[in-house]
Amino acid sequence: MLRFVLRYLVLLPVLLLAVAVGSVLGVRAFLQSANSADARIVSPRGINEAGYVQLGGARQWVTIRGQDRRQPILVYLHGGPGGTTSDLAYSFQRPWEDYFTVVQWDQRGFGRSAIDGEALRGTITKTQLVDDAIALIEHLRRRTGQQKVILLGHSWGTVLGAEVAKRRPDLLYAYVGFGQLTGWKRNMEETRAALAEIGRTTGNAALVKAMADAGPAPDAHDTEAFSAWIAKIQTHLSAARGSWYNSAGAKDIASRMLMTAFASPTLSLRGMWRMLNTDAELALDPLMASVADWDFRETLGRDFDVPMIFVSGRHDLQTPMAAAARLAAELCAPHTEMIVIENSAHFLVTEEPGRVLGALLKVRPFAEGAAPAAEPECKAETARGRHLTVPASPPSSPSAAPRGLSVRPAA
């Protein structure tokens, strides 16, 4: 009798654990099925493709989705570095597919594009990823017959996107920067300055002290020290609601992101593990080192031959809106615009998806010939040797816009 009781006591926790795991997996399967059904494309002109494409000698994961393959192509460059979205885009991209053919790409070394493993060593750099992005657009031209795309970068993706816009304007109808980075070190210094200003205006002495104690950014070539410094700054972003404006804190953001991955109709449990365990030594560290000196103004200048549209959440402190607005005011391009999403921060695509779609629809006419890009007056001024510059110092308010720039709220 005692032996039976002991065996029961041993087996009961195991059985309860099995039931719990089975229940969780059952709930996941239900959510995946529902989200898969919601994302189903049934239009006869629709397109829904996913697979590996050889870009720069490496297998890289690309998805193409849209209700009408004749719609303008919108190429999305995810943030991070390494924050792949091909398996998470179901949570925000579906309405875009009514107006665009949307392309998601897992950048070299990350997500599903880490498949080649050690063979990628030494190739995961900013320059190579820009080359890969150009190769992707060339592939899409051949695959679809369309000659140009709208290129959309988000956060880290704006580094790659701005580089492509500078190097190959012939491939683009327009460039769109969501949460535009102004520089690798510069951006986080702007975040630190914005947080310190919030601390001063709200009487939060602890926040002011924390930003002072963090000190200036270390040499970004030392990726370990620079990452540790970034962590000190970003620790305070959640409390300031500077990453996700309607969040209740860091745990709330983490739980939302985990649930999005958990319910993804295309992401396996193994894929979730891979997404959470990027090989930093192989991929992340060399990529960060390759952009240590990257600065938008110094690297790319102010002249562009393609429409440049920046879109920022009003409360974004991760890539501060005011910094992006100052940069936009300095650019000389066929069309330059700064669009502000009023009640969002950095994760604007999920914070205010309707406003974000409205911003994208303002860009669509460039691909339809309905918004011809004229030669800007500043081009002539540059040719005559006159250069208009806007001071790059932080404004008195984190959300202030520079004088002379029209900052338009999303409709």
Side-chain angles (χ1 to χ4, degrees), residues 18-295:
V19 170
V21 171
S23 298
V24 169
L25 294 179
V27 170
R28 181 171 190 263
F30 173 79
L31 292 173
Q32 287 183 299
S33 176
N35 287 327
S36 178
D38 287 343
R40 189 176 299 128
I41 292 176
V42 296
S43 167
R45 294 197 179 100
I47 183 170
N48 183 11
E49 298 180 356
Y52 284 102
V53 176
Q54 283 282 337
L55 302 174
R59 289 178 291 175
Q60 302 192 43
W61 185 258
V62 176
T63 67
I64 309 174
R65 288 179 52 88
Q67 294 292 330
D68 188 335
R69 65 185 64 225
R70 300 171 303 175
Q71 302 276 29
I73 298 173
L74 178 69
V75 178
Y76 185 91
L77 305 180
H78 66 70
T84 57
T85 52
S86 63
D87 289 305
L88 308 177
Y90 79 93
S91 64
F92 64 84
Q93 163 179 311
R94 174 61 188 83
W96 301 3
E97 296 166 7
D98 290 335
Y99 302 94
F100 302 93
T101 297
V102 185
V103 177
Q104 292 278 345
W105 162 49
D106 285 14
Q107 294 160 21
R108 174 185 296 252
F110 300 100
R112 295 175 186 258
S113 294
I115 188 172
D116 288 335
E118 279 294 322
L120 298 174
R121 186 173 294 279
T123 72
I124 304 175
T125 65
K126 184 265 295 179
T127 299
Q128 182 59 62
L129 266 63
V130 172
D131 289 342
D132 290 346
I134 292 172
L136 171 61
I137 298 172
E138 295 281 14
H139 164 77
L140 294 170
R141 294 175 73 185
R142 294 188 297 270
R143 173 68 185 84
T144 67
Q146 297 193 39
Q147 294 306 300
K148 294 185 179 184
V149 306
I150 296 171
L151 186 62
L152 165 59
H154 189 184
S155 194
W156 153 258
T158 66
V159 174
L160 307 180
E163 290 267 350
V164 174
K166 184 69 173 183
R167 282 177 50 183
R168 294 298 304 273
D170 58 300
L171 298 177
L172 308 184
Y173 287 116
Y175 165 70
V176 185
F178 280 10
Q180 179 66 50
L181 265 74
T182 57
W184 193 238
K185 283 180 65 172
R186 181 198 293 264
N187 183 84
M188 287 310 301
E189 286 284 17
E190 289 166 335
T191 296
R192 175 172 167 257
L195 284 168
E197 179 64 18
I198 288 174
R200 283 189 289 270
T201 57
T202 61
N204 188 339
L207 181 56
V208 174
K209 184 178 185 300
M211 294 301 101
D213 290 346
D219 182 359
H221 292 92
D222 183 344
T223 57
E224 184 175 353
F226 188 66
S227 295
W229 178 81
I230 289 176
K232 290 180 183 178
I233 306 299
Q234 292 191 334
T235 296
H236 301 274
L237 280 174
S238 297
R241 298 195 297 169
S243 289
W244 204 320
Y245 190 56
N246 71 349
S247 77
K251 290 183 180 179
D252 179 37
I253 295 174
S255 64
R256 290 197 215 180
M257 296 179 72
L258 184 60
M259 182 54 69
T260 301
F262 180 79
S264 168
T266 58
L267 187 61
S268 66
L269 292 175
R270 182 181 179 184
M272 287 182 64
W273 176 258
R274 180 180 59 237
M275 187 170 63
L276 295 171
N277 292 274
T278 297
D279 188 336
E281 188 268 335
L282 174 69
L284 190 58
D285 290 346
L287 183 55
M288 289 180 62
S290 73
V291 290
D293 298 319
W294 190 85
D295 184 276

